[in-house]
Amino acid sequence: VQLQACGGGLVQPGGSLRLSCAASGSIFSINGMGWYRQAPGKQRESVATITSGGKTNYADSVKGRFTISRDNAKNTLYLRMDSLKVEDTAVYYCKAAIIRPGDYYRAVDYWGQGTQVTVSS
């Protein structure tokens, strides 16, 4: 199983980006998914999460600016980021709790490789 994240880049304050994270490999189903970020010198923190049924949760710092979504048919997770601020600069990671064929009672967390988001003028 692999998670491939993409969509990061350099953007000016107030701008927008859309991150994607595609899961591939031997997958039966995917439970919760989420985006996390880690800025230099700081611990990794949760940005937004979404259940398999679509229930979402956001960090206070991104509420109203970021939108998490998923396409279950494509095993893909998205993060729409609007009104970006300098303090949003970080490496963004996706995570998915994946159930593999033959191991139907256990979901294992997989992480993507990270994509850099830099907000700067």
Side-chain angles (χ1 to χ4, degrees), residues 28-67:
F28 175 73
S29 65
I30 303 178
N31 288 349
M33 304 180 82
W35 289 98
Y36 300 77
R37 67 186 181 188
Q38 187 166 19
K42 294 187 177 182
Q43 289 188 332
R44 190 174 298 189
E45 62 176 356
S46 175
V47 175
T49 60
I50 185 168
T51 67
S52 57
K55 183 177 180 180
T56 59
N57 190 60
Y58 295 92
D60 288 342
S61 59
V62 307
K63 280 181 181 176
R65 300 188 298 120
F66 291 9
T67 303

Side-chain angles (χ1 to χ4, degrees), residues 14-112:
S16 298
L17 283 174
R18 187 194 193 210
L19 306 183
S20 298
C21 174
S24 62
S26 182
I27 297 171
F28 175 73
S29 65
I30 303 178
N31 288 349
M33 304 180 82
W35 289 98
Y36 300 77
R37 67 186 181 188
Q38 187 166 19
K42 294 187 177 182
Q43 289 188 332
R44 190 174 298 189
E45 62 176 356
S46 175
V47 175
T49 60
I50 185 168
T51 67
S52 57
K55 183 177 180 180
T56 59
N57 190 60
Y58 295 92
D60 288 342
S61 59
V62 307
K63 280 181 181 176
R65 300 188 298 120
F66 291 9
T67 303
I68 189 171
S69 61
R70 62 191 284 176
D71 184 331
N72 292 331
K74 296 181 178 179
N75 288 337
T76 301
L77 177 70
Y78 304 98
L79 185 68
R80 171 73 181 185
M81 304 185 293
D82 296 314
S83 303
L84 281 161
K85 303 176 180 180
V86 172
E87 51 264 42
D88 294 319
T89 296
V91 178
Y92 283 70
Y93 300 89
C94 57
K95 186 179 79 169
I98 294 175
I99 297 175
R100 301 186 64 183
D103 196 6
Y104 303 111
Y105 298 101
R106 186 172 70 114
V108 177
D109 286 341
Y110 290 87
W111 288 87

